[in-house]
Amino acid sequence: MAAATRGCQPWGSLLLALLGLVSAAAIAWDLTSLRCNFGTFCECDFRPDFQGLECDLAQHLAGQHLARALVVKALKAFVQDPAPTKPLVLSLHGWTGTGKSYVSSLLAHYLFRGGLRSPHVHHYSPVIHFPHPSNMERYKKDLKSWVQGNLTVCGRSLFLFDEMDKLAPGLMEVLRPFLGSSSVVFGTNYRKAIFIFISNTGGEQINQVVLEAWRLHQDREEIRLQELEPVISRAVLDNPHHGFWRSGIMEEHLLDALVPFLPLQRHHVRHCVLNELAQLGLEQRDDVIQAVLDSTIFFPEDEQLFSSNGCKTVASRIALFL
């Protein structure tokens, strides 16, 4: 789902333009770019906008009170620390279509001037970058070189690793030295970097916790991180197909947070449909909303409670019913 930021964007840049300070801003950007070429402590195009991020998450991330609060809290504490002792390392877990990739794209958008196009945002996919397990040793060398090289260019970098449950085990062990609390690795300062790992692993266990809460008539908002962390951790450690398998990353407690994404219910999917219609510049269409909901598969079979694809197929389904 595309990010809709109308109403969330700060007006500072527009005010500068109206005051005729665009040239000064451009000069400042050029100087910043030059500084990035001469040191590892540069901020490059790192321009965090927490107000915009929180606004966007509140308006468009449906049903994820834990993820929203945890990500914002961890990110603020990390960015506002002038001398962090280690990189920020987050692992996002949950069922498909619950918002994991959406949140990671928002982080790029609100942390870096260029968003996902920033030269300091690096997105890795198993299918694209590491497709053949037989080439694992070469991939290890490449990944170590990529991370080290990018951190040399700019220590304030964002690394996104998608579909960790499809990544051949063994590769992630080369990241272990970059994720800890040592001040320098291979001659490169890396303590201001951010690493985000995304996977569906733990999704079934999260779903079960939410389902049990629903059966006990417990408010979804009352579910706490302490209930979910142990089951997610066990699901990852027991999964030989997960990228963290025997990498030492979890065993050495290098993750700052396991971020759970809860399964989406019918009213959450409706929220996603409304957001998508707004993105298309369309008014609320009750017939379209109902058609999308009627075409969505819900589970378990008896309760029909959770969307099987979350909000992942909402955009394509809307196109069918307009």
Side-chain angles (χ1 to χ4, degrees), residues 24-297:
I27 292 172
W29 166 241
D30 289 339
L31 291 175
T32 301
S33 298
L34 286 173
R35 286 197 296 272
C36 286
N37 293 324
F38 292 97
T40 60
F41 294 94
C42 67
E43 301 301 309
C44 301
D45 68 339
F46 188 75
R47 299 293 184 271
D49 173 13
F50 291 120
Q51 182 180 0
L53 175 62
E54 290 184 79
C55 180
D56 211 327
L57 289 172
Q59 289 187 10
H60 304 113
L61 183 64
Q64 304 300 348
H65 68 287
L66 286 173
R68 183 171 68 245
L70 188 55
V71 167
V72 171
K73 182 178 180 180
L75 196 62
K76 277 187 174 181
F78 177 72
V79 172
Q80 292 170 358
D81 185 348
T85 58
K86 66 181 293 295
L88 178 63
V89 187
L90 302 178
S91 189
L92 315 186
H93 297 265
W95 202 252
T96 183
T98 51
K100 302 182 300 296
S101 295
Y102 179 64
V103 167
S104 65
S105 68
L106 286 186
L107 294 184
H109 178 75
Y110 286 108
L111 291 178
F112 292 85
R113 186 191 297 267
L116 288 170
R117 297 188 184 90
S118 167
H120 310 299
V121 174
H122 313 283
H123 186 195
Y124 300 98
S125 165
V127 176
I128 298 173
H129 298 98
F130 317 111
H132 305 296
S134 59
N135 293 334
M136 186 57 60
E137 292 307 311
R138 178 168 65 84
Y139 293 155
K140 287 182 180 181
K141 293 179 182 178
D142 288 345
L143 181 58
K144 176 182 173 181
S145 177
W146 290 340
V147 172
Q148 185 176 352
N150 285 313
L151 289 178
T152 300
V153 172
C154 184
R156 191 66 93 173
S157 296
L158 172 63
F159 299 92
L160 302 173
F161 291 86
D162 207 358
E163 298 183 302
M164 287 290 292
D165 42 337
K166 296 180 182 178
L167 189 66
L171 179 62
M172 289 293 102
E173 66 185 28
V174 302
L175 291 183
R176 186 171 56 182
F178 293 99
L179 305 181
S181 57
S182 299
S183 60
V184 175
V185 174
F186 312 121
T188 299
N189 184 283
Y190 66 99
R191 290 174 294 171
K192 290 189 175 182
I194 300 173
F195 291 83
I196 306 292
F197 301 98
I198 305 170
S199 75
N200 292 342
T201 302
E204 291 185 10
Q205 290 77 8
I206 294 171
N207 293 353
Q208 189 60 39
V209 170
V210 180
L211 179 60
E212 290 302 321
W214 181 83
R215 286 172 173 168
L216 293 172
H217 306 288
Q218 179 184 355
D219 193 321
R220 179 188 179 98
E221 300 288 326
E222 295 177 3
I223 297 174
R224 295 291 175 256
L225 182 63
Q226 292 80 359
E227 300 174 60
L228 296 170
E229 274 187 321
V231 297
I232 298 172
S233 180
R234 180 50 51 194
V236 174
L237 290 171
D238 289 346
N239 184 359
H241 302 292
H242 193 279
F244 286 158
W245 175 254
R246 295 181 178 174
S247 67
I249 290 175
M250 292 197 67
E251 293 85 346
E252 296 180 21
H253 307 288
L254 299 180
L255 299 178
D256 293 293
L258 292 169
V259 183
F261 284 72
L262 311 186
L264 299 185
Q265 297 173 235
R266 189 174 297 268
H267 62 284
H268 299 129
V269 178
R270 185 178 188 279
H271 182 90
C272 292
V273 177
L274 289 171
N275 279 337
E276 191 63 32
L277 288 173
Q279 284 292 300
L280 296 172
L282 300 175
E283 298 294 330
Q284 177 175 327
R285 289 271 305 271
D286 291 339
D287 59 326
V288 173
I289 295 171
Q290 192 59 50
V292 171
L293 291 174
D294 289 344
S295 67
T296 300
I297 298 174

